[in-house]
Amino acid sequence: MDNLSIYVVEDDESIRTMVVYALNGSGYVARGFSDSRAFFQAVDEKAPNLVLLDIMLPGEDGLSILKRLRSTPKTARIPAIMLTAKSTEMDKVRGLDMGADDYVAKPFGILELLSRIRAVARRTVESGRQTAEEGNGIFEYQNIRVDEASHIVTVDGAEVMLTRKEFKLLCDLMRNQGRVLTRDQIMEQVWGFDYGGATRTVDIHINTLRKKLGDDGTMIQTVRGVGYKIGK
C-alpha cells in the first residue's frame, strides 16, 4: 500500500504539518490543504487515493466537502476518513450516512491514525485493485447487471453511476441472491466494521441505491426486522 496518495484537509497548521510529515515518512505521498478551495483545485489536477477530512473548517466544512466528493463521478469512490473533535455517536452516524469510511476523533495518536488508514486502504483501494486484477464476478438479476471487475452497473443496458459504497452494497446483494443480509452483516461487509449504532446508515444507502436503480430499485426487498435481499 506504499505510494498511495493522501490529501489532508485540516485548517490547524500544526496538526496538518504533523500528519503530512508522518504519512510521507510512512511511505505515502501526502499533501496538506487548509481549506476546500485549495483542496478541490488539487483534486481537479489529480485525484488522490484517500482523503483525510477535518469537519470544523473555515468556510466550507468537512461534511460539505464529503458531500461534494460523493456527488461527483470522478471522486465518488475515493475513501474518506473524518478527523474531528466531534466524537458523539450522532456525529459519527452523520458522517457515515454521508459516505465516510471511518471516523477518528481528536486528539488522536499518529500510530492509531496510520492503523486506521491501512485498514481503510485494505478495504477499499487494495480490494479494488485485486478485484480488477482477478476479474471475479459478473452478477445479473433481471434488468440489473453488475461487472465487479470494471465497476460498471447497468440497468436495462444503461449505465448507472454509483458511489463506491453503493457499488459494494449492490455487489453483496447480487452475490447473495435469494439470501437475506442483515443490517449488521451489511455494515461489516461494506463498511468493514460492526457498529450497531449505525444501522440507520445502511437504510439510507439502500434507499439511495433504490432511487438510482429507478424502477428496478424495487428488486431490493426489505425483510422486516431482519435486513435486505435481491431475488427469491
Side-chain angles (χ1 to χ4, degrees), residues 40 60-69 98:
F40 280 111
E60 187 174 14
D61 66 23
L63 291 177
S64 177
I65 292 174
L66 179 62
K67 185 176 181 179
R68 286 176 63 183
L69 288 173
M98 296 181 69

Side-chain angles (χ1 to χ4, degrees), residues 21-141:
Y21 179 82
L23 292 175
N24 286 327
S26 299
Y28 301 106
V29 180
R31 295 178 61 185
F33 307 92
S34 61
D35 56 40
S36 63
R37 181 177 179 181
F39 168 70
F40 280 111
Q41 286 177 344
V43 170
D44 286 341
E45 295 172 4
K46 184 178 180 181
N49 297 120
L50 188 144
V51 175
L52 303 182
L53 282 174
D54 184 27
I55 286 186
M56 304 300 290
L57 293 168
E60 187 174 14
D61 66 23
L63 291 177
S64 177
I65 292 174
L66 179 62
K67 185 176 181 179
R68 286 176 63 183
L69 288 173
R70 292 293 177 256
S71 63
T72 304
K74 177 184 176 181
T75 59
R77 294 176 181 170
I78 297 176
I81 299 176
M82 309 307 292
L83 304 178
T84 178
K86 292 187 173 184
S87 59
T88 68
E89 181 175 332
M90 285 309 300
D91 290 327
K92 292 179 180 179
V93 168
R94 187 182 177 200
L96 292 171
D97 287 350
M98 296 181 69
D101 293 271
D102 203 350
Y103 203 109
V104 180
K106 298 176 182 179
F108 54 82
I110 286 296
L111 291 180
E112 177 193 2
L113 179 61
L114 291 173
S115 178
R116 297 288 191 92
I117 289 171
R118 287 193 295 269
V120 169
R122 282 195 298 269
R123 297 199 305 262
T124 57
V125 179
E126 291 301 308
S127 64
R129 288 177 179 173
Q130 291 168 5
T131 296
E133 291 168 359
E134 296 167 4
N136 60 340
I138 291 179
F139 310 110
E140 295 181 303
Y141 184 74

Side-chain angles (χ1 to χ4, degrees), residues 185-210:
Q185 286 175 322
I186 292 172
M187 200 71 203
E188 173 67 29
Q189 292 170 13
V190 177
W191 278 264
F193 54 89
D194 183 8
Y195 180 37
T199 54
R200 170 176 169 268
T201 297
V202 175
D203 297 335
I204 289 174
H205 279 73
I206 287 285
N207 289 336
T208 303
L209 180 56
R210 282 172 171 159

Side-chain angles (χ1 to χ4, degrees), residues 158-172:
E159 186 171 354
V160 177
M161 299 303 300
L162 301 180
T163 67
R164 182 175 41 76
K165 279 194 170 56
E166 291 163 356
F167 179 81
K168 181 66 166 63
L169 174 54
L170 182 59
C171 281
D172 286 342

